[in-house]
Amino acid sequence: LTLLIMFHYILPTNLKVNIFLKIALIYIYPIVNSLQALSVWITLAFTVDRYIFICHPYIGHEFCKRKRAFIVLGCLFLIAIVYCIPLFLEKTYIEVEILNTKQIFHTYSKLGQNKYFIYIYHLFIYSTFVFFVPFILIIVLNIFLVIDIIKSNKRHRELNIYSKPSVVVTSASVRKSTTTRRSSFSILRT
């Protein structure tokens, strides 16, 4: 979208290119908008997957599988397509002839001018389901995830306190013990 806008101002004022870019902006904007919503919901799906897998591992081994991930991604993609449909119908273009040259202008269609469409689609659906709900869910799930990791680390430390210390054999300690044995044998020989 940004590249099309940039090319619109950089390219020479060729009438056919100008018309194409103005019309393309009308149809590319809904796709970009739905991909933005899709990326937000994919991030939320990944967060839910990590939350289930870490905080509820017994359920996670059953639910967090590749096949289910593809099903979720497919459903999210279909929802993004359905979400995109009203945006395609929101704007249109008009052709106006000014000084014997055809000019293209963006304008809102009847749907785009409808105040209920603006309130319901842009203010309610977009702000609720693209910003607020995913934002709140991601924050809450990550807080639960961090709390569970802190509890797990605390349990792990408590278990290590009560366990017997184990003897760790390293190559340095083996070399040191062989050197000590050799020197003690040499003392016994003399």
Side-chain angles (χ1 to χ4, degrees):
L1 183 65
T2 306
L3 290 174
L4 278 176
I5 294 171
M6 184 178 75
F7 286 136
H8 174 68
Y9 291 107
I10 292 176
L11 291 175
T13 56
N14 182 352
L15 186 61
K16 290 182 180 180
V17 172
N18 196 6
I19 291 172
F20 170 75
L21 289 175
K22 286 186 177 184
I23 294 172
L25 283 174
I26 293 173
Y27 297 111
I28 288 177
Y29 172 73
I31 295 170
V32 170
N33 205 353
S34 65
L35 290 176
Q36 176 195 16
L38 180 64
S39 70
V40 169
W41 282 95
I42 287 175
T43 303
L44 178 63
F46 180 75
T47 303
V48 169
D49 183 65
R50 290 296 95 203
Y51 168 76
I52 291 172
F53 202 75
I54 291 173
C55 294
H56 306 286
Y58 299 114
I59 298 171
H61 287 292
E62 185 178 327
F63 283 106
C64 300
K65 294 186 177 184
R66 185 176 297 200
K67 183 179 178 183
R68 290 207 177 161
F70 283 127
I71 290 170
V72 168
L73 288 175
C75 290
L76 289 175
F77 188 74
L78 289 175
I79 291 170
I81 290 172
V82 170
Y83 171 76
C84 178
I85 291 171
L87 290 175
F88 278 111
L89 304 173
E90 177 184 27
K91 291 183 182 178
T92 187
Y93 63 93
I94 56 171
E95 297 178 13
V96 178
E97 192 167 324
I98 301 174
L99 299 174
N100 294 330
T101 59
K102 190 185 341 178
Q103 295 290 324
I104 300 287
F105 294 100
H106 294 168
T107 185
Y108 286 99
S109 64
K110 289 184 179 182
L111 177 69
Q113 293 173 359
N114 187 337
K115 68 178 181 179
Y116 296 114
F117 171 76
I118 294 170
Y119 290 140
I120 292 171
Y121 188 80
H122 287 290
L123 294 178
F124 179 71
I125 292 176
Y126 185 75
S127 58
T128 302
F129 294 107
V130 176
F131 289 111
F132 296 124
V133 170
F135 178 73
I136 290 169
L137 286 175
I138 287 172
I139 287 178
V140 168
L141 291 175
N142 279 327
I143 287 171
F144 286 149
L145 190 65
V146 167
I147 288 171
D148 196 51
I149 289 173
I150 289 171
K151 285 180 183 178
S152 175
N153 285 341
K154 185 178 178 184
R155 282 190 303 254
H156 182 70
R157 273 187 260 122
E158 288 173 357
L159 287 174
N160 282 342
I161 290 173
Y162 297 117
S163 65
K164 293 180 182 178
S166 60
V167 177
V168 178
V169 179
T170 62
S171 61
S173 65
V174 171
R175 275 185 266 141
K176 190 175 187 182
S177 65
T178 21
T179 310
T180 311
R181 268 192 247 131
R182 283 185 193 155
S183 60
S184 61
F185 284 124
S186 62
I187 294 173
L188 288 176
R189 284 189 202 160
T190 54

